[in-house]
Amino acid sequence: MSHAVVIGAGIGGLASALALRRAGWEVTVLERAPSLDPVGAGLAVAPNALRVLDLLGVGGHIRGLASLQGAAGIRRPDGRWISRTDATKAADRYGEPVIVVHRATLVDTLAGALEPGTVRLGLPAEDVDSETGRVVTAAGTLTADLVVAADGLHSAVRTKLFPSHPGPVHTGVTSWRIVVPHPGGTLMPSETWGGGLIFGTAVLGDGRVYAYATAPAPAGTAAPPSHTAAAPDGTAASPGTTAASDGAERAEMLRLFGGWHEPVPSLIAAATEVVRTDIRCLDEPLPRFHAGRVALLGDAAHAMTPNLGQGACQALEDALILARHAGDLPAYTAARLPRTTEVARASRRVGRVAGIGNPVAELLRNTAMALAGRFGPDTVLRQMDPILSWRPPAT
């Protein structure tokens, strides 16, 4: 039986382990963190990702734990709508809904579908030889027919394989994420745009509310924590790990968004934990997603901004396609590099449009979006067709 070593037990790493295992591979997952306790909050699972989860055997379980999003849209800081969309029409168009789950829910589900002992916690990969498939750890050396580098944004494996390639760049934007109790009443999923700032909300399947916000800010300006935890993908956790930093970040959010429409201020005030992350991405695509026996996957291969909610979704697509091309890594690159490059560029474009701070440009943007909405939701949804209509190729 062929053996694969997966580096990183985030969503992409666990999904690739599950896909490879279902394809008949023996799999070992190495995770430097001592537990599967992912840093983050909510994430959208779009139709393209749900199709992957179905093939991995966990789609139904995730649907049962998730919140189906109803009508949604974009608002101004005073609460007036710029545009709206109908989730029912989106589900009809793509054959699947967009659902929202907590990141930990998806991680736990993927990990739970693996055989016990597959994931080795607290054991980082110290070195990787792409030609021989040797992976060095503190517990010894593993030799694999395939090494999957799913070690996140600051991937050490990517740096070793492509030492001259530009690393992640700071986009000039920082983000905050919170999960709070539902305030009651009807809460429509939405994003509010204004003055270069963004605030979004979505209801999780357990009834809590996931909220996120972004604002222009220099890198490294988050309130300093007293310690830094390790994220499951091997990267450093963002600030927000102590009560002191949580309070400082909550105060900063209220300073920026406290005058916006309800429930924005109330959701921020209810937050007890705040995760702040400077948004970085790989602006220049890699020349390929493989070298020797090593394949890069997820953020290690194509870290993108969160504006389209496709980071985890593209990692899930990677996992399925990699399992199908595990013996032909150039074919994996050919299948994934063009698509992920375009999705990443589209996400970057949406971020720039949403973050417009010039009042005149903002007015023109809002007017154009309102006019597009008057032609019907299909006009807006059509722009997402290349991303959400993706289906796994036939075996």
Side-chain angles (χ1 to χ4, degrees):
M1 180 182 292
S2 298
H3 180 218
V5 172
V6 179
I7 302 173
I11 290 170
L14 292 171
S16 65
L18 183 55
L20 287 165
R21 189 69 189 87
R22 292 171 71 87
W25 286 65
E26 179 186 354
V27 183
T28 301
V29 181
L30 304 178
E31 171 52 53
R32 70 169 55 246
S35 64
L36 291 179
D37 185 16
V39 173
L43 58 84
V45 183
N48 54 314
L50 277 172
R51 297 182 189 108
V52 173
L53 294 176
D54 283 339
L55 290 175
L56 296 182
V58 298
H61 181 70
I62 288 296
R63 286 181 180 86
L65 299 175
S67 173
L68 174 63
Q69 304 304 294
I74 309 295
R75 306 174 79 171
R76 298 181 1 166
D78 62 7
R80 285 185 286 177
W81 291 98
I82 300 172
S83 67
R84 299 196 206 193
T85 58
D86 187 333
T88 301
K89 291 185 179 296
D92 290 343
R93 186 178 186 89
Y94 301 117
E96 295 282 359
V98 175
I99 61 178
V100 179
V101 298
H102 197 286
R103 181 175 294 272
T105 298
L106 185 52
V107 167
D108 290 345
T109 299
L110 293 170
L114 293 169
E115 293 182 356
T118 300
V119 181
R120 301 181 66 179
L121 297 171
L123 187 62
E126 297 178 352
D127 193 25
V128 174
D129 187 317
S130 61
E131 295 305 317
T132 63
R134 292 174 64 250
V135 180
V136 179
T137 76
T141 299
L142 303 173
T143 300
D145 300 287
L146 171 67
V147 178
V148 181
D151 52 340
L153 173 68
H154 300 290
S155 169
V157 178
R158 181 185 66 232
T159 300
K160 180 173 183 178
L161 297 182
F162 303 100
S164 61
H165 193 84
V169 299
H170 183 239
T171 62
V173 175
T174 196
S175 70
W176 296 267
R177 288 165 288 169
I178 59 176
V179 175
V180 300
H182 197 294
T186 301
L187 183 61
M188 184 182 296
S190 66
E191 280 192 353
T192 302
W193 298 355
L197 309 178
I198 301 171
F199 193 96
T201 59
V203 179
L204 298 175
D206 59 10
R208 294 180 297 169
V209 175
Y210 164 52
Y212 55 91
T214 65
T221 55
S226 61
H227 70 280
T228 301
D233 61 2
T235 62
S238 42
T241 57
T242 68
S245 61
D246 288 334
E249 296 300 349
R250 183 172 59 248
E252 177 66 2
M253 292 180 73
L254 286 171
R255 183 184 72 82
L256 293 170
F257 303 97
W260 285 24
H261 66 82
E262 286 290 352
V264 173
S266 297
L267 293 175
I268 297 171
T272 57
E273 296 183 5
V274 182
V275 175
R276 179 167 173 175
T277 310
D278 290 335
I279 296 179
R280 291 179 167 84
C281 65
L282 289 175
D283 257 0
E284 183 175 332
L286 290 169
R288 60 190 184 278
F289 288 168
H290 72 280
R293 298 188 185 186
V294 178
L296 295 165
L297 180 148
D299 281 354
H302 47 70
M304 59 188 68
T305 64
N307 302 93
L308 287 178
Q310 278 290 310
C313 297
Q314 291 303 305
L316 288 168
E317 288 186 18
D318 289 347
L320 187 71
I321 300 305
L322 176 59
R324 294 189 175 185
H325 294 298
D328 184 6
L329 295 186
Y332 165 66
T333 285
R336 296 304 300 156
L337 181 55
R339 173 165 170 79
T340 56
T341 296
E342 183 49 43
V343 173
R345 287 173 176 167
S347 185
R348 195 81 152 98
R349 288 194 296 269
V350 170
R352 292 189 179 105
V353 170
I356 288 174
N358 179 279
V360 175
E362 188 177 353
L363 176 61
L364 293 173
R365 176 201 66 194
N366 293 354
T367 301
M369 292 179 63
L371 288 173
R374 291 177 184 174
F375 287 102
D378 286 349
T379 303
V380 177
L381 290 174
R382 196 176 300 123
Q383 301 176 54
M384 294 296 293
D385 281 356
I387 298 175
L388 303 187
S389 293
W390 181 89
R391 293 180 181 276
T395 303

